[in-house]
């Protein structure tokens, strides 16, 4: 009888393990599906003509879902990681759209959940890096709200996390990429803060920002967001080089930015716009250095990028302004060169 009972217990344990495995797989599939819908698909919808209202509806649903998901498995680390990281992504989307109150709430919730995770696993580098991104995002929101003391305190906290992680690079490639996301973001914000304050180390911070983003782009060559952030960092550095009269340096920086991201039909509108801005700045540098033919080529390529966005989303007014400015500068360049 004891032997029979043991066999029945083994069968029951096997069935329980199988059921648990199936439940775990269903949970992971559900989290992946929600991530795809709320973030990847919503970004694609945003770039469709007049897709903005639907994009905002999806963000509103994401807020509601994340509040309910705790009930699925409240103490499951996978659910907590998903919640924390999703709140971070949600905050970034809300911030980019100008809904700062919603962004602040999401950043704060992301930090709260990451703190809970790190209390259990303090050596979790991915959680620590993403918490650093959330802290830096909250600092940016505080800056926009005029809460400068709070923003400075948050910035310093994010700087400390980034320095700690980058002082001891992880052996695991996946973790190292998370470190690079944090470090490049912090480096860019630190450089912008230095510009705003006219910090004597501003050029040093700008170069560190560019170097960090180039490392990020090299580590994630197919990641559109990594390319977008890298182009943004290169553009900021080149703008300062132009202001300080370093035209050869600006030309080199902008040419590297252009080479980093050759035009592709699959580019997002954000990446296409940044590429257009890089090409326009490169054309201005060539014009100031009297390289008329090179300036004309860059202006024409920039106009192609702007026209692509204007056709896809005619409601984006800033693109029409940037396109008109580039057309005017091109005409003036050709006129001064005697080509019109």
């Amino acid at each position: 009888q004891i032997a029979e009972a043991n066999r029945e217990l083994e069968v029951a344990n096997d069935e329980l393990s199988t059921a648990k495995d199936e439940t775990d797989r269903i949970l992971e599939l559900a989290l992946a599906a929600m991530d795809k819908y709320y973030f990847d698909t919503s970004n694609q919808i945003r770039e469709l003509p007049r897709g903005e209202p639907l994009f905002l509806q999806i963000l509103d649903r994401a807020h509601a879902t994340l509040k309910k998901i705790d009930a699925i498995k409240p103490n499951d680390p996978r659910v907590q990681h998903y919640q924390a990281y999703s709140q971070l992504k949600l905050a970034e989307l809300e911030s980019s759209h100008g809904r700062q109150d919603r962004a602040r709430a999401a950043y704060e919730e992301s930090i709260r959940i990451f703190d809970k995770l790190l209390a259990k696993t303090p050596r979790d580098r991915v959680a620590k890096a993403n918490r650093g991104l959330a802290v830096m995002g909250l600092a940016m929101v505080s800056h926009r709200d005029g809460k400068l003391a709070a923003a400075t305190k948050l910035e310093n906290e994010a700087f400390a996390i980034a320095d700690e992680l980058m002082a001891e690079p992880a052996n695991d490639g996946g973790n190292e990429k998370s470190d690079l996301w944090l470090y490049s973001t912090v480096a860019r914000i630190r450089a912008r803060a230095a510009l705003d304050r006219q910090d004597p180390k501003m050029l040093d911070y700008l170069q560190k920002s560019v170097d960090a983003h180039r490392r990020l782009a090299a580590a994630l060559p197919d990641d559109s967001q990594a390319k977008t952030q890298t182009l943004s960092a290169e553009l900021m550095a080149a703008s300062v080089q132009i202001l300080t009269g370093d035209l050869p340096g600006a030309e080199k920086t902008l040419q590297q930015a252009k080479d980093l991201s050759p035009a592709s039909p699959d580019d997002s509108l954000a990446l296409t716009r940044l590429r257009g801005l890089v090409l326009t700045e490169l054309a201005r540098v060539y014009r100031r250095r009297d390289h008329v033919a090179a300036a004309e080529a860059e202006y024409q390529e920039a106009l192609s990028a702007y026209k692509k966005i204007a056709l896809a989303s005619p409601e984006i007014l800033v693109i029409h302004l940037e396109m008109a400015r580039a057309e005017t500068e091109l005409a003036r360049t050709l006129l001064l060169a005697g080509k019109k």
Side-chain angles (χ1 to χ4, degrees):
Q1 287 179 338
I2 292 175
E4 183 65 27
N6 284 337
R7 279 195 296 272
E8 289 176 358
L9 185 59
E10 287 176 9
V11 170
N13 284 336
D14 288 343
E15 290 175 348
L16 187 60
S17 297
T18 301
K20 183 180 181 299
D21 289 344
E22 289 177 356
T23 301
D24 288 345
R25 279 196 295 272
I26 291 169
L27 173 63
E28 288 166 7
L29 285 170
L31 295 179
M34 284 191 290
D35 193 64
K36 181 79 175 173
Y37 172 69
Y38 286 129
F39 300 111
D40 295 347
T41 305
S42 68
N43 267 328
Q44 292 167 11
I45 289 171
R46 187 183 195 179
E47 294 189 351
L48 294 174
R50 288 167 285 279
E52 200 74 11
L54 183 54
F55 167 75
L56 293 178
Q57 288 178 26
I58 293 174
L59 288 193
D60 291 341
R61 284 185 199 161
H63 281 289
T65 301
L66 287 172
K67 287 178 182 176
K68 295 175 183 175
I69 199 173
D70 220 13
I72 297 175
K73 276 193 167 185
N75 297 316
D76 191 311
R78 290 167 302 176
V79 174
Q80 291 176 335
H81 270 286
Y82 176 81
Q83 282 182 299
Y85 189 50
S86 295
Q87 289 285 0
L88 171 59
K89 289 196 282 188
L90 195 54
E92 289 169 345
L93 290 171
E94 293 285 19
S95 182
S96 68
H97 192 72
R99 302 204 298 186
Q100 299 306 323
D101 288 346
R102 286 171 172 262
R104 175 181 288 280
Y107 278 130
E108 288 174 345
E109 181 64 6
S110 177
I111 293 168
R112 185 189 71 78
I113 301 171
F114 277 128
D115 283 343
K116 187 190 294 186
L117 287 164
L118 287 165
K120 298 175 184 174
T121 53
R123 297 181 66 82
D124 186 339
R125 294 173 64 87
V126 175
K128 191 176 289 186
N130 284 319
R131 184 189 182 279
L133 289 175
V135 171
M136 182 54 77
L138 189 55
M140 293 171 67
V141 172
S142 296
H143 264 298
R144 295 186 191 111
D145 288 344
K147 299 175 180 177
L148 301 185
T152 300
K153 183 179 179 182
L154 288 163
E155 280 178 359
N156 290 335
E157 183 181 349
F159 296 161
I161 295 170
D163 291 342
E164 177 190 341
L165 287 168
M166 295 307 289
E168 299 178 2
N171 294 322
D172 177 11
N175 286 358
E176 188 176 356
K177 289 171 186 175
S178 295
D179 295 350
L180 283 170
W181 270 117
L182 171 63
Y183 196 71
S184 59
T185 301
V186 167
R188 186 174 70 256
I189 302 305
R190 185 184 254 166
R192 186 169 294 282
L195 282 176
D196 291 342
R197 299 167 189 162
Q198 292 297 295
D199 190 311
K201 294 183 178 179
M202 142 179 103
L203 293 176
D204 181 46
Y205 286 143
L206 280 167
Q207 189 57 54
K208 285 181 178 177
S209 173
V210 169
D211 292 344
H213 280 84
R214 286 175 184 165
R215 287 175 62 192
L216 177 69
L220 302 168
D222 299 321
D223 191 297
S224 177
Q225 189 180 359
K227 286 182 182 177
T228 299
Q229 291 200 11
T230 304
L231 285 184
S232 179
E234 303 260 16
L235 191 58
M236 182 168 63
S239 297
V240 173
Q241 289 171 316
I242 292 169
L243 286 173
T244 56
D246 182 11
L247 296 183
E251 180 183 332
K252 181 179 178 182
T253 299
L254 291 165
Q255 188 61 55
Q256 287 177 318
K258 177 185 174 182
D259 294 342
L260 170 72
S261 182
S264 165
D266 299 325
D267 286 345
S268 67
L269 295 188
L271 184 56
T272 302
R273 184 191 172 208
L274 269 173
R275 182 175 171 78
L277 292 173
V278 166
L279 294 166
T280 301
E281 285 297 331
L282 185 55
R284 288 169 182 155
V285 170
Y286 281 140
R287 187 181 64 181
R288 288 178 63 178
R289 302 190 76 194
D290 296 322
H291 301 327
V292 177
E296 180 183 359
E298 300 303 333
Y299 274 127
Q300 294 288 9
E301 197 172 345
L303 286 168
S304 295
Y306 294 144
K307 286 172 183 174
K308 175 184 174 182
I309 300 171
L311 285 171
S313 295
E315 73 277 9
I316 304 178
L317 297 180
V318 69
I319 291 300
H320 297 283
L321 293 173
E322 288 166 354
M323 187 160 55
R325 193 178 295 123
E327 286 173 339
T328 301
E329 290 177 10
L330 172 59
R332 192 174 295 153
T333 301
L334 297 178
L335 187 63
L336 290 173
K339 297 184 72 172
K340 276 197 174 181

